Amino acid sequence: MTRHISLNCCRDRSRLKRSAFICELSAEMEQCIPAPDDSSCRMDDLALRTAINDFLGKLDEEKRNIFVRRYWFLDSVADIAKRYGISESKVKTTLFRCRNRLREYLNKEGYTV
């Protein structure tokens, strides 16, 4: 329910600005998470979800919060920086490193990215 409310807020924001914000986030994450291109990959959705949750559980609280705010709640880098009282460059660096660690973690788990 919370995710749907967040998506509705994002849609409202994008209507006003006519931007491709969600496409930007998809481009960032498509290098980390494998895309299902056949039926056997689609069957592994639950396992992938579990792997991502395990990865997030291993992150410290600040990194996990930044990652979730960006890719689940679709917050902008500026909004995240303001929320946690840190610089935008720290948010960008943290997200970059988390995406790289996620890619490595998923490779170890047997997913090809």
Side-chain angles (χ1 to χ4, degrees):
M1 186 168 163
T2 304
R3 187 171 195 288
H4 291 295
I5 292 169
S6 298
L7 287 172
N8 287 339
C9 288
C10 183
R11 285 186 195 111
D12 291 342
R13 280 189 251 156
S14 67
R15 273 188 218 121
L16 296 174
K17 295 179 183 177
R18 303 282 190 237
S19 65
F21 182 66
I22 294 176
C23 294
E24 253 178 59
L25 293 176
S26 297
E28 287 178 11
M29 290 304 293
E30 73 184 4
Q31 297 173 359
C32 300
I33 299 176
D37 38 344
D38 62 8
S39 61
S40 66
C41 286
R42 289 185 185 97
M43 299 294 284
D44 290 335
D45 284 348
L46 181 60
L48 178 61
R49 183 182 328 148
T50 302
I52 292 172
N53 284 334
D54 290 343
F55 168 77
L56 290 173
K58 293 177 183 178
L59 291 177
D60 64 43
E61 185 177 356
E62 180 184 57
K63 291 176 184 173
R64 181 176 51 246
N65 287 338
I66 290 171
F67 192 88
V68 170
R69 293 302 312 179
R70 179 70 172 155
Y71 298 114
W72 183 260
F73 294 107
L74 308 173
D75 287 353
S76 69
V77 171
D79 290 342
I80 295 169
K82 187 189 310 183
R83 174 183 284 267
Y84 295 110
I86 55 178
S87 68
E88 288 186 31
S89 63
K90 181 175 180 179
V91 173
K92 290 176 186 177
T93 301
T94 301
L95 289 170
F96 176 77
R97 290 178 180 163
C98 285
R99 285 193 310 268
N100 286 338
R101 287 179 60 192
L102 176 60
R103 185 181 309 115
E104 291 172 10
Y105 182 80
L106 291 176
N107 282 334
K108 285 181 190 175
E109 293 293 314
Y111 292 96
T112 55
V113 180

